[in-house]
Amino acid sequence: MSAPASPPPRSWGLLLVLCGAIFLEGIDIAMLNMALPTIREDMGLSTGSLQWVMSAYVLGYGGFMLLGGRAADLFGRRRMFVAWLVVFLLFSGLGGLATEGWMLILARFVTGVAAAFMTPAGLSIITTSFEEGPRRNRALLIYSGTAAGGFSFGLVIGGFLTALDWRWVFFAPVILSFLILLGAVALIPRVDEPRAGDRRMDVAGAVTVTAGIVLLVLGVERATHTAGTWTALTIAASLALLTTFVLVERRAATPLLRLGLLRSGPLLRANLVALLLFGGFYGFQFVAVLYLQELRGWSTLQTSFAMLVIGADAVLSPTVVPRLVDRFGNARVILAGMVTTSLAYLFFLPVGADWTYLAMLPSFALLGLSFALAYGPLTIVATEGVAEEDQGVTGGLLYTSFQFGAALGLSAVTAVNVAATGDDGSPAALLDGYRAALLVPLVCALLATALSALGVLGRRRPAPAPAEAARALSAEPTAR
């Protein structure tokens, strides 16, 4: 077995810049999570206002991701990446200067929108700069490992910066953004500038899908904090807008999302597994943090260091996983990752009030391994075989699945936890609530495992004869 190909030396600088950007996105989210209690105390925010500090970012990031991906395809990936990196830098700094809650919420919303345009642009630069095959796979696995490393590192550094001054949680990304910006201007080539005739935007599609996704994320994100009627109306309006979007795309001359892309079984399956993967992980992390801090009384830094082992995927993704993909293929590696994820949640399910860290460690370690096995290969499958002009929107679709999955998982575990705990705040009731909520990540992982198994079974089917494949391609030109 030959070792997986590494990117050529001239491409390392480009990959370093793009990895820096996804590292920035991960560390930004993680550091803010660690700083929220201190921000509430210092600014006198209510629980509702504090919730909006997180929700605003999720709305901007998840709601505008698909539009951001298509904008990269239409207006140039380098242009979109650099321009929105500047916006990210500016509004992260404004968040650190905020003196009122609404200023902080607004800054987080715009920062999320900036990330929604910047992230798919960065991913599509990789998928169009590295030819499909071992080189691109290697680059994407390094990229996904860096994203995980940013989140893991952010958990720890966020605790240190918060202890110094929570405003540094916003100022530190400004410094990192500026360094990445210098590298982007110097190293990202001007090779993807579109022709003037390529810049027609599907306005109706952009408005309906963005509004639909924003309302859907909002409805799910706020489901446990507002009346059920409001949630039902919000989700119903979202579904009506998304239905309108599909109808618009069927008739649009230059659609925002060519529906033929969704006919790809591997692409659709990868997005569903990504949604379930992030839904389960974010839900599990939320419950685990509550357990450690609320029931066990651990400090922020203790909790951060306890969960740091999950960041092992930052090391495994670029070193071990490429060889596994090269030998067994993406589908089997993803399946192994989801089985490992299921075991991690299953082992944590009987969590006790006096568990030692060694009792928790297997679950945390298995999660680090499972993310390494699943995250990068999912990114490869979701962008594999897609035409260059659709790479941006395909990346946007994948990251929309990630974000919506995170919002869905958090809302589901919160709802189950609240229902199981009730008004009883005793340690026994809290523990019962955690155990009930932990069923949500386990169900997500089992569903993702089943979908991944279908991907492996699909790979075993014989490939069509060349003449048959040619007839199939000519019969469905929109799927190309």
Side-chain angles (χ1 to χ4, degrees):
M1 180 188 68
S2 61
S6 298
R10 65 180 179 275
S11 300
W12 277 110
L14 170 66
L15 185 58
L16 179 64
V17 169
L18 299 173
C19 284
I22 199 65
F23 180 87
L24 169 68
E25 188 266 336
I27 198 174
D28 177 78
I29 296 173
M31 289 194 303
L32 181 61
N33 285 343
M34 303 306 295
L36 284 176
T38 304
I39 292 173
R40 173 165 59 180
E41 181 180 355
D42 188 52
M43 299 189 72
L45 299 179
S46 65
T47 301
S49 296
L50 190 70
Q51 172 69 25
W52 272 109
V53 174
M54 289 300 299
S55 297
Y57 183 88
V58 172
L59 286 176
Y61 196 7
F64 286 81
M65 187 72 72
L66 195 58
L67 180 59
R70 178 52 81 194
D73 292 330
L74 292 178
F75 304 113
R77 300 176 181 94
R78 181 185 189 274
R79 179 181 295 139
M80 288 293 100
F81 181 85
V82 171
W84 286 98
L85 178 58
V86 172
V87 176
F88 189 99
L89 183 156
L90 293 175
F91 278 84
S92 184
L94 288 175
L97 297 173
T99 56
E100 300 288 342
W102 67 267
M103 297 171 62
L104 189 56
I105 292 170
L106 177 63
R108 290 306 294 170
F109 176 75
V110 179
T111 303
V113 173
F117 280 81
M118 184 175 68
T119 303
L123 177 61
S124 62
I125 289 172
I126 292 179
T127 56
T128 55
S129 299
F130 296 87
E131 63 182 9
E132 190 169 300
R135 293 190 186 279
R136 183 193 290 182
N137 292 351
R138 176 80 172 186
L140 287 174
L141 291 169
I142 293 173
Y143 184 74
S144 61
T146 305
F151 188 85
S152 302
F153 184 69
L155 291 175
V156 178
I157 197 65
F160 282 111
L161 291 179
T162 301
L164 179 65
D165 188 332
W166 66 263
R167 296 183 185 276
W168 275 104
V169 168
F170 293 90
F171 294 146
V174 172
I175 299 172
L176 183 56
S177 298
F178 181 73
L179 295 175
I180 296 170
L181 180 62
L182 294 179
V185 171
L187 295 173
I188 299 180
R190 299 176 181 270
V191 297
D192 69 329
E193 297 302 318
R195 299 184 302 274
D198 293 333
R199 302 185 185 183
R200 293 172 294 173
M201 173 64 77
D202 174 17
V203 177
V207 171
T208 52
V209 74
T210 301
I213 293 175
V214 166
L215 285 178
L216 188 59
V217 173
L218 177 63
V220 171
E221 178 75 15
R222 303 294 296 171
T224 56
H225 308 285
T226 189
T229 301
W230 188 94
T231 299
L233 290 174
T234 303
I235 293 179
S238 166
L239 295 177
L241 284 166
L242 293 176
T243 301
T244 304
F245 168 71
V246 172
L247 297 176
V248 169
E249 297 308 280
R250 290 173 64 91
R251 295 172 173 80
T254 55
L256 182 72
L257 172 65
R258 291 194 296 113
L259 299 180
L261 290 171
L262 302 180
R263 297 175 190 169
S264 168
L267 183 148
L268 191 58
R269 194 161 42 243
N271 278 272
L272 290 174
V273 173
L275 184 149
L276 292 166
L277 174 66
F278 266 57
F281 175 73
Y282 273 77
F284 174 82
Q285 181 200 16
F286 178 76
V287 176
V289 169
L290 283 182
Y291 165 74
L292 293 174
Q293 296 190 11
E294 190 176 59
L295 183 65
R296 304 297 300 276
W298 289 24
S299 68
T300 300
L301 281 179
Q302 285 176 312
T303 303
S304 300
F305 280 115
M307 302 183 72
L308 187 60
V309 67
I310 298 176
D313 57 347
V315 177
L316 297 174
S317 288
T319 56
V320 176
V321 177
R323 297 181 181 276
L324 295 177
V325 168
D326 189 52
R327 180 170 181 178
F328 300 107
N330 288 303
R332 289 185 176 86
V333 175
I334 292 170
L335 176 59
M338 296 319 306
V339 170
T340 308
T341 304
S342 302
L343 290 174
Y345 298 149
L346 185 64
F347 290 163
F348 207 84
L349 198 59
V351 62
D354 57 351
W355 265 24
T356 64
Y357 180 64
L358 287 179
M360 310 174 208
L361 186 58
S363 290
F364 295 154
L366 285 173
L367 276 179
L369 174 61
S370 68
F371 245 74
L373 293 173
Y375 187 12
L378 280 173
T379 306
I380 295 171
V381 173
T383 56
E384 201 170 37
V386 176
E388 182 172 330
E389 62 268 20
D390 289 319
Q391 284 291 337
V393 74
T394 304
L397 185 64
L398 176 65
Y399 280 96
T400 298
S401 298
F402 284 145
Q403 288 301 307
F404 181 63
L408 187 63
L410 285 170
S411 295
V413 298
T414 301
V416 173
N417 182 48
V418 170
T421 304
D423 297 327
D424 187 354
S426 66
L430 291 175
L431 193 59
D432 288 341
Y434 301 147
R435 288 171 176 165
L438 285 169
L439 289 171
V440 174
L442 180 58
V443 170
C444 287
L446 292 174
L447 289 174
T449 301
L451 285 171
S452 302
L454 291 177
V456 172
L457 293 175
R459 292 282 182 178
R460 292 177 179 174
R461 295 172 184 169
E468 181 182 346
R471 285 195 300 270
L473 290 177
S474 62
E476 296 189 8
T478 58
R480 296 292 293 166

